[in-house]
Amino acid sequence: MIGRLNHVAIVVPDLPEAVARYRDALGAEVGPPQDLPEHGVRVVFVTLPNTKVELLEPLGEGSPVEGFLGRNAAGGIHHVCYEVEDLLAARDRLVASGARVLGGGEPKVGAHGKPVLFLHPKDFNGTLIELEQV
Amino acid sequence: MIGRLNHVAIVVPDLPEAVARYRDALGAEVGPPQDLPEHGVRVVFVTLPNTKVELLEPLGEGSPVEGFLGRNAAGGIHHVCYEVEDLLAARDRLVASGARVLGGGEPKVGAHGKPVLFLHPKDFNGTLIELEQV
């Protein structure tokens, strides 16, 4: 069911500093910062040959990553995103297996403009999983 | 400098349970468990089309992932591994940039039989980074 690892999302307290680390110290290809006010984050994409790393910082009030940063002041890996071909079929299979889908189980439009769902970390070894329909 | 994302490593408290979740609920291709006593872990590889997820549980006394599990009883994402072509050149560039390399800075043989180094999470937004020479 799950396909490619679409991205690893890392929440950081200081986006320019994180960008400098990935660009200068790790020599990665780093894009420009993008504000996504409807998602409450500012994001930078790090392009690797086979997937992406997304560096996120809170944007505006009540950002969904604010709480994470409160618990992890230095930042940390926030979630992984796996691609699926049929998000509703994936959801139904997951729910049937006993896994919990966050936010009522209805897909929302994610940061890439595609339908996404998040799975409860307690059902997946403490890992927040995003599923994105591709 | 960094190339492909080689893998995302997730430490889990119960490997068979995690395997069942990835195989049955997420429908992923999951390999057999492998004991790596020299690394103090039992590992299962989840093969995705573009990268791997490694599910790890402690093996034996003094496993290097025991402390992580003590702090994260449900498990969690432990590290990400980026590939590099020349590990010593990567290390020298990182050290010159002010980043700290763990364990004295000399490469060790990692779980895949290749030279690896780990970078201090405090220098990379709370993310433990493994570099593997390919």
Side-chain angles (χ1 to χ4, degrees), chain B residues 38-58:
Chain B
E38 69 279 24
H39 295 285
V41 293
R42 180 175 290 128
V43 60
V44 162
F45 293 99
V46 179
T47 304
L48 303 178
N50 60 334
T51 189
K52 290 190 298 282
V53 172
E54 298 187 9
L55 304 172
L56 306 171
E57 71 175 6

Side-chain angles (χ1 to χ4, degrees), chain A residues 17-33:
Chain A
E17 194 275 343
V19 163
R21 282 280 175 188
Y22 267 79
R23 186 187 57 213
D24 303 335
L26 289 170
E29 185 188 328
V30 177

